[in-house]
Amino acid sequence: MILRKSIIRDMKQSKFQYIGVVLLLIISIMLYVSLSMAIATLDTRNTKFIESYNQEDFRFMVSEQADANQLSRWESAYNVQLEKRLVADVDFGNDATLRVIQTTDTINKAYISEGEMPTKVNEIAIAPTFADAHAIQVGDELNVRGQTLTVTGFMFLPDYIYILDKESDLLSDPNTFGIAIANEKTIQAVTEYPMIEILGDQAKDETIASLKEAVSNDFTILKWLNAEDNPRITFVESEIEGAQGVITTLPLFILALAIMMTLMIMKRRMEMQRKEIGTLMALGYRKKELLFHYMTYAALIGFIGTLGGVALGAALSVPLTNLYATFFNLPRISFFDWDVSVIIIGIILPVLLLLGMTYLVIRKPLSQAPLDLLSPKDMQAGRKSTIEKLPLFRTGSFISRFRLRLMIRSKARAIYIFLGVMFSTILLIYGFITYNAMDELVDTTYEDIYTYDYAVYYNTLQQEELDEGASGFTSSEITIDEVNGEKTQKENHKSMVFGIAPDTTFLQLLNNEGHSLTSKTKEGIVVSLPLATMENIEVGDTLTIRNSFNDRALTEEVVGITNVYVGNYVYSEHGKVNEFLGYPLNTYTAIWTEEAPITQENILFLEDKQDVIDNFESTSAMTRYSIIVIAGIAFLIGVIVLTLITNLIVEENGPSISLLKVMGYKDKEISKLVVNVYSPIVLIAYVCSVPIGMWSIEAMMASIVEQTGFYLPVNLSLWMVIIGFLIIMFTYYTSLFFSRKKLAKISLQEALNKQQD
Amino acid sequence: MGIDLTDVNKVYQSGEVEVHALKNASLHIADKSVVVILGPSGSGKSTLLNVIGGIDRYESGTIKVEGQTLHELKDKMLTEYRRHTLGFIFQQYNLIPTLTVYENVEVGRHLSENPLNMQDTLEKVGMWDKKDKFPFQLSGGEQQRVAIARALVKNPKILMCDEPTGALDEETGKKILTLLKYVNETYGTTVCIITHNHGIGEMAHSVIRMKSGEIVENYQNETPVHPERVTWA
């Protein structure tokens, strides 16, 4: 139909508006497709890797050596597969630790991505992320503890998908920690005291519990870790699960904005073309022909936006997957997973929504009689609404009354501006708070609360007297059983109990008011913030904890909640915890100290607090990068929405603007009268959005604490409010700049032409 | 067959006031004739054109156009009636601003099962040379020529012209009237012109005068003059 030609020309005339909505759609679909595809690829790689390379179901360490015969007995008695491996942590360079792990035959088999498996003495294969961080290549020779080790290849391990030194660590940092595999002799060559881990596979949940009991009858279990409690394995699953929310929520909100903007444009288009529609109807055009004509606008926006979004999203998913790969060590078993449902949802859903909503908007004018459309619209604009009868509208200067009236008469525009500013503000606040939260988490937890320098965990019970530079404590895995006599919200909620000296100077359990609760552990239990958030625990509640190894229970009153932001921890008095765990009164399993231990004997693992802090700080560059991306998206969306609306206002008020020009008003004055009218809305939207943003982020942090095990402190600083405000105002003035250009193009003749109409 | 109106009444509600736009209007318009409907503003002449053109409904009476009784037609059928029987020309031309002259005429051709040749039509109205121009590049007279071509290309039986010279000067207005006369003579199209310009009645085969919704005069003009010679009021 010939009318089709007018669509493109029409769109060219209002290109800012159409480009704006198409861009919004593209951003929405691109985010959805790229995140979905990256997550789908990650999921497939994870699933295939787990299955093909036999990821463990559990692992444990015992105080004495369990020989091969013992393992075989357990295997046949509990129908599980067990395999022993040696592990050694060795210093690498000045600041890094390399964990050398013995190659296995059945469980946690290594995937060699480049080079070969190390089979001979003094051969190792290392994780590619560690190799990248330390510029190591296949064939290089490394000096480790006086041994020259040849790098035979790069490898991935299914139990080190997220490479963490300790389970309590939060972030993976290849600069300070990495893994390698080698044969038994190589490990024995680099350390005198290798740790022995027993890996288990093909076990059912109830079998694991029975086996654990049997092991505890014969040996002292130093550590028992099921796969579902191992963050090196579960972080990737949590990420996949957690990403589902972001994949849908953020793009859906932008999609909703895009649809609202399209509907606003279409409504305006229908109003502008009333006479044309009436003429075409009078000439004999059928309603469905006109309906098809106007639906083509929405279809074009929809298809360009969705196809562009899908194409960009698919392209972006590749670097995004690679970015994920720097966090999660998953081999490229699959390179790019084409999820058909993502494509279908990415194209069909937005187009259908857009067409459906557009139909509802254009149906009304098209159902009018041609004569009504040909006649000038009722002079509704001349009537005063109730709001306009308020005294506010009768006082003040002409300019302020004119601006107020214009704003009141376009309530929908005001709402859209409000929503656009709100969306951008929340994104910005989210970025700022996350950025600040990382610093606060480190400052509070690792500097104010953990006042020690090293935590040394032993593989046997210790009872030697300690000097003033150290403090002994007991720690063990427990299950949170009941809160106030009722079963916990999370089933089989694993936690850690710390038995501490109430007068220790190495741990200041600060609460929200900044008071130390360490001495209060004599009176009851102190819990960490993530645990309190997950189980809704408040001071004064009673908490029942259960020993995972001997099933003994302890019920105590919660005397405080401490701002330890990382980990599900319960703190109580040392003697009480020892009694609960069945340890002699004066024994301890770990110490906090100011000095690093001289020998590695009996050491299960060593926590160097500075390493943890450095680890956080080295990842803050990544956080800064993501905040720039978030701020960029917030700015872009803000500019699009605001430009689109101010552009429409200029278009709508073309005749008035022209008339004002004829009367001698300058462009600047007209802009103040017509275009800048929404400045108060922008301000109000910003002021309202800051607390809304805070509230929603707090809710989000509370909801993700279960998946991540850490609670990011949500604190808003003045600098965030000021910088956020400056960005929003910059966004607003950028949009005004574009709209002023359109205003300047309005000719003086337009007023006369419209008067003739 | 022509157009027959019998006791047609039309009432508008304007706020709380009832406006009797047509009062018992009865008339006959012969096939292939030029009819001029005259009257001051508010006399009901536009309403008369609109009800005959099927873009407005009437309360009582009968209108028969080419054998079709309009009040019996539902909205969809009225669209088909306008599509196949009528051509409309408006005082403000109502061209589509984003289409060229040629494309605006194509808008009309698309509707017809038996359209006229595009080039012939545009040449007839003297706009072939400007076929690639957009409406804003044309004068008022030229825009009205395009509107005529758009109505004409459909090859309609009846051409409804609502103040076709209302926005034009005398010289251009007379050229447009000459064109309408030419269409009537060449294609046998019935041409209904509503105007407040009394002089235009001189070129018509029949003249209808209206006042306050009533037909006060309806007479045959035995000696219609050439449009160039009408007395321009």
Side-chain angles (χ1 to χ4, degrees), chain A residues 1-3 5-6 9-10 13 275-276 279-287 289 370-371 374 756-757, chain B residues 12 50 55-56 79-80 82-83 88 90 92 94 96-100 103 106-107 110-111 134 150 154:
Chain A
M1 195 163 64
I2 188 68
L3 288 175
K5 284 190 180 175
S6 72
R9 290 176 194 156
D10 211 24
Q13 276 184 1
K275 215 169 184 180
E276 281 175 35
T279 305
L280 291 168
M281 281 183 175
L283 287 174
Y285 272 82
R286 298 177 185 121
K287 274 177 190 163
E289 286 171 325
L371 189 62
L374 283 165
Q756 280 172 2
D757 282 0
Chain B
Y12 283 119
N50 291 339
I55 56 173
D56 203 359
T79 303
E80 296 305 310
R82 291 195 300 270
R83 191 179 180 105
F88 265 99
F90 304 94
Q92 289 303 330
N94 293 3
I96 296 176
T98 47
L99 295 180
T100 62
E103 289 160 355
E106 272 190 294
V107 169
H110 169 79
L111 298 170
F134 284 93
R150 179 178 66 184
K154 282 169 71 179

Side-chain angles (χ1 to χ4, degrees), chain A residues 471-491:
Chain A
S471 173
F473 66 95
T474 308
S475 78
S476 178
E477 184 192 290
I478 53 158
T479 311
I480 306 292
D481 236 22
E482 291 174 356
V483 179
N484 293 330
E486 286 181 19
K487 280 280 164 203
T488 51
Q489 299 188 3
K490 187 183 169 189
E491 206 181 326

Side-chain angles (χ1 to χ4, degrees), chain A residues 376-421:
Chain A
K377 216 179 171 188
D378 288 349
M379 296 294 280
Q380 280 171 352
R383 289 186 204 140
K384 281 185 179 177
S385 67
T386 318
I387 305 174
E388 287 173 67
K389 287 173 189 160
L390 294 170
L392 180 71
F393 286 84
R394 290 201 291 270
T395 55
S397 67
F398 159 71
I399 290 182
S400 58
R401 278 183 285 127
F402 188 95
R403 283 159 59 93
L404 264 174
R405 185 153 299 163
L406 200 67
M407 198 166 72
I408 293 297
R409 291 189 179 184
S410 309
K411 287 189 270 297
R413 308 275 151 83
I415 292 168
Y416 292 142
I417 286 189
F418 188 93
L419 287 175
V421 172

Side-chain angles (χ1 to χ4, degrees), chain A residues 661-721:
Chain A
K661 280 186 179 181
V662 171
M663 289 165 75
Y665 278 83
K666 292 172 194 157
D667 281 3
K668 225 177 179 180
E669 291 169 316
I670 300 171
S671 172
K672 210 172 164 188
L673 270 173
V674 181
V675 187
N676 297 21
V677 286
Y678 291 101
S679 305
I681 298 289
V682 174
L683 280 174
I684 293 169
Y686 183 74
V687 170
C688 294
S689 305
V690 171
I692 293 173
M694 272 279 286
W695 173 79
S696 57
I697 294 158
E698 252 172 356
M700 193 181 78
M701 291 302 178
S703 72
I704 63 165
V705 72
E706 195 175 321
Q707 288 163 15
T708 58
F710 61 87
Y711 187 96
L712 276 182
V714 182
N715 287 322
L716 191 71
S717 310
L718 186 64
W719 69 264
M720 298 178 195
V721 180

